[in-house]
Amino acid sequence: MASYLQIHDDEKGYDLDLFCVPRHYEKDLDKVIIPNGLIMDRTERLARDIIGDMGSHHIVALCVLKGGYKFFADLLDYIKALNQNSDKSVPLTVDFIRVKSYCNDKSTNDVKVIGGDELSNLSGKNVLIVEDIVETGRTMQTLLSLLSKCNPKMVKVVSLLVKRTPRSSGYRPDYIGFEVPDAFLVGYALDYNEYFRDLSHICKLKEEAKEKYKV
Ligand code: IMP
Ligand code: MG
C-alpha cells in the first residue's frame, strides 16, 4: 500500500502571517495547512519512488487539468533531475486532459472529461496519471475506465492529496503525497470556482469565502 504523510484532523496549521500569501486572499483563508516547501520535499521523494517502480520503460505523464498543473510541473522537474543525474534514465513524454466534476465545494456525479480524443495515443504505453486531489474517487475511477479502453501497457496514478472522507468510494491511488482532513483546501493550483490557484501554499478555505466566491 502507498505510504503518505498524514495531516491529522486536529492539525492546527500555521498562521497566515507567518508566510507570504497574496493580499487579495488574506481574508478568505483560515490557516496554511501544507506550506509550499513541504509540498516540494514530499514531491521530490514521490519522484524517486515512481522512477524506482516505473523507470524501465518510456513513461507518458498525463496531467489532469487544471488542478494538477503545479504538482505535475514540479513532479516532472524532479523526475527530470533524476533522469539527468543517474546512469539509468527513461524517456518521458507528456499529455494533458481536462476533467471537471465540481460545482462550488461539492463533487458532482457528473464527471466531464475534455480532450479525450488523444487518449488513443496511450495504447501500449506506461502511463502515469498526475492528479491534485482524490476525494470520492469518482473522477479517477471514470478516467481509469476510459483509459483502459485504450489498452495502455501500465497505468499508475499519483495524487498529491487524498481526502479522509466518508464519501470515499474506497479508491486509493498508487502514490500519495499527503492524506488530508475532510475540509475544502485551496492553493498550489487547487481552486474554489477557479480562485486560489495563484496561491503557493495549501490552505483551508473559510466558510465565508465559500459564499463570497459562490457561482
Ligand atoms: P472526486 O471525483 O470526488 O475524487 O474529486 C476529485 C476532484 O474534485 C479533484 O480532482 C478536484 O478537482 C476536486 N476537489 C476535491 N476536493 C477538493 C478540495 O478540497 N479543493 C479543491 N478541489 C477539490
Ligand atoms: Mg483534479
Side-chain angles (χ1 to χ4, degrees):
M1 224 179 65
S3 48
Y4 50 82
L5 197 158
Q6 183 157 16
I7 311 284
H8 294 278
D9 286 342
D10 58 2
E11 169 68 52
K12 300 278 182 295
Y14 307 92
D15 283 343
L16 294 180
D17 48 13
L18 295 173
F19 293 93
C20 293
V21 168
R23 288 251 186 270
H24 54 273
Y25 291 144
E26 268 177 355
K27 294 196 172 64
D28 305 324
L29 305 167
D30 220 356
K31 292 277 181 180
V32 172
I33 301 295
I34 315 177
N36 186 268
L38 184 54
I39 299 172
M40 298 301 282
D41 290 335
R42 181 75 191 114
T43 302
E44 183 176 19
R45 179 54 197 253
L46 287 171
R48 194 173 103 182
D49 293 346
I50 290 165
I51 284 298
D53 295 343
M54 297 183 81
S56 46
H57 307 280
H58 176 155
I59 300 172
V60 182
L62 182 64
C63 176
V64 184
L65 294 169
K66 296 179 184 172
Y69 90 88
K70 272 297 292 168
F71 178 47
F72 184 81
D74 290 330
L75 180 71
L76 261 62
D77 278 349
Y78 283 120
I79 292 180
K80 252 172 26 193
L82 288 171
N83 263 337
Q84 66 202 13
N85 292 308
S86 63
D87 299 333
K88 210 178 90 177
S89 76
V90 287
L92 186 69
T93 55
V94 298
D95 209 340
F96 299 86
I97 192 169
R98 180 130 188 242
V99 175
K100 203 167 187 301
S101 63
Y102 246 67
C103 185
N104 295 320
D105 64 342
K106 294 285 174 304
S107 181
T108 66
N109 277 315
D110 180 25
V111 180
K112 286 196 185 73
V113 179
I114 309 160
D117 288 347
E118 293 103 62
L119 284 184
S120 57
N121 299 339
L122 303 175
S123 164
K125 305 272 172 55
N126 277 356
V127 182
L128 176 68
I129 303 180
V130 184
E131 172 67 304
D132 54 353
I133 181 166
V134 169
E135 186 180 11
T136 64
R138 274 196 297 264
T139 302
M140 203 39 69
Q141 284 170 320
T142 306
L143 191 53
L144 284 170
S145 80
L146 270 171
L147 220 74
S148 69
K149 297 192 183 102
C150 310
N151 298 312
K153 183 159 179 252
M154 177 203 280
V155 181
K156 296 275 189 194
V157 177
V158 56
S159 184
L160 177 65
L161 310 176
V162 170
K163 214 180 264 190
R164 260 190 318 280
T165 166
R167 296 180 300 287
S168 165
S169 67
Y171 168 76
R172 300 289 279 189
D174 301 287
Y175 306 94
I176 300 169
F178 302 85
E179 194 188 72
V180 293
D182 194 3
F184 201 80
L185 302 176
V186 293
Y188 193 70
L190 279 93
D191 73 309
Y192 178 75
N193 293 332
E194 297 302 326
Y195 291 93
F196 304 101
R197 296 197 199 274
D198 54 336
L199 166 70
S200 300
H201 316 288
I202 294 180
C203 300
K204 192 168 160 219
L205 195 62
K206 275 190 186 162
E207 283 305 315
E208 305 95 273
K210 292 186 183 172
E211 222 23 70
K212 179 173 163 191
Y213 296 97
K214 208 172 197 120
V215 289

Short mmCIF file of all heavy atoms in Angstrom, two decimals, residues 15 26 36-38 41 104 131 153 158 177 180:
data_model
loop_
_atom_site.label_atom_id
_atom_site.label_comp_id
_atom_site.label_asym_id
_atom_site.label_seq_id
_atom_site.Cartn_x
_atom_site.Cartn_y
_atom_site.Cartn_z
N ASP A 15 -0.32 30.02 11.08
CA ASP A 15 -0.91 31.33 10.86
C ASP A 15 -0.49 31.88 9.50
O ASP A 15 0.68 31.75 9.11
CB ASP A 15 -0.47 32.31 11.96
CG ASP A 15 -1.23 32.06 13.24
OD1 ASP A 15 -2.29 31.39 13.18
OD2 ASP A 15 -0.77 32.52 14.31
N GLU A 26 -6.11 37.18 1.76
CA GLU A 26 -5.83 37.12 3.20
C GLU A 26 -7.09 36.87 4.05
O GLU A 26 -7.06 36.11 4.99
CB GLU A 26 -5.16 38.42 3.66
CG GLU A 26 -3.65 38.33 3.62
CD GLU A 26 -2.98 39.64 4.00
OE1 GLU A 26 -3.68 40.65 4.21
OE2 GLU A 26 -1.74 39.63 4.08
N ASN A 36 4.39 25.43 0.96
CA ASN A 36 4.95 25.05 -0.34
C ASN A 36 6.23 24.23 -0.22
O ASN A 36 6.43 23.28 -0.98
CB ASN A 36 5.18 26.32 -1.17
CG ASN A 36 5.62 25.99 -2.58
OD1 ASN A 36 6.82 25.92 -2.86
ND2 ASN A 36 4.69 25.74 -3.46
N GLY A 37 7.08 24.59 0.73
CA GLY A 37 8.35 23.87 0.88
C GLY A 37 8.15 22.40 1.22
O GLY A 37 8.87 21.53 0.71
N LEU A 38 7.15 22.12 2.03
CA LEU A 38 6.87 20.73 2.40
C LEU A 38 6.30 19.97 1.20
O LEU A 38 6.63 18.80 0.99
CB LEU A 38 5.90 20.70 3.59
CG LEU A 38 5.55 19.34 4.19
CD1 LEU A 38 6.80 18.56 4.59
CD2 LEU A 38 4.61 19.49 5.38
N ASP A 41 9.31 19.06 -0.93
CA ASP A 41 10.12 17.98 -0.37
C ASP A 41 9.45 16.62 -0.55
O ASP A 41 10.10 15.63 -0.88
CB ASP A 41 10.39 18.23 1.13
CG ASP A 41 11.33 19.39 1.34
OD1 ASP A 41 12.13 19.69 0.43
OD2 ASP A 41 11.28 20.03 2.41
N ASN A 104 -19.13 24.68 -6.88
CA ASN A 104 -18.88 25.23 -5.55
C ASN A 104 -17.99 24.26 -4.77
O ASN A 104 -16.97 23.86 -5.29
CB ASN A 104 -20.19 25.56 -4.83
CG ASN A 104 -20.93 26.68 -5.55
OD1 ASN A 104 -20.32 27.64 -6.00
ND2 ASN A 104 -22.23 26.55 -5.67
N GLU A 131 -2.61 13.74 -10.57
CA GLU A 131 -3.85 14.39 -10.10
C GLU A 131 -3.56 15.22 -8.86
O GLU A 131 -2.61 14.93 -8.12
CB GLU A 131 -4.86 13.26 -9.83
CG GLU A 131 -6.15 13.65 -9.16
CD GLU A 131 -7.05 14.53 -10.01
OE1 GLU A 131 -6.58 15.60 -10.45
OE2 GLU A 131 -8.22 14.17 -10.19
N LYS A 153 -0.04 -0.09 -21.61
CA LYS A 153 0.72 -1.23 -21.08
C LYS A 153 0.61 -1.27 -19.55
O LYS A 153 0.45 -2.33 -18.95
CB LYS A 153 2.18 -1.05 -21.50
CG LYS A 153 3.11 -2.16 -21.09
CD LYS A 153 4.35 -2.12 -21.97
CE LYS A 153 5.32 -3.20 -21.60
NZ LYS A 153 6.51 -2.69 -20.94
N VAL A 158 -0.67 8.96 -9.48
CA VAL A 158 -0.10 9.68 -8.33
C VAL A 158 -1.00 10.87 -8.04
O VAL A 158 -1.36 11.63 -8.92
CB VAL A 158 1.36 10.12 -8.58
CG1 VAL A 158 1.54 10.98 -9.81
CG2 VAL A 158 1.91 10.86 -7.35
N GLY A 177 0.85 11.81 -1.90
CA GLY A 177 1.71 12.76 -1.20
C GLY A 177 1.30 12.91 0.25
O GLY A 177 2.07 12.59 1.18
N VAL A 180 -5.23 14.11 3.83
CA VAL A 180 -5.68 15.35 4.48
C VAL A 180 -7.07 15.21 5.08
O VAL A 180 -7.86 14.36 4.66
CB VAL A 180 -5.66 16.53 3.47
CG1 VAL A 180 -4.24 16.86 3.03
CG2 VAL A 180 -6.54 16.25 2.25
#
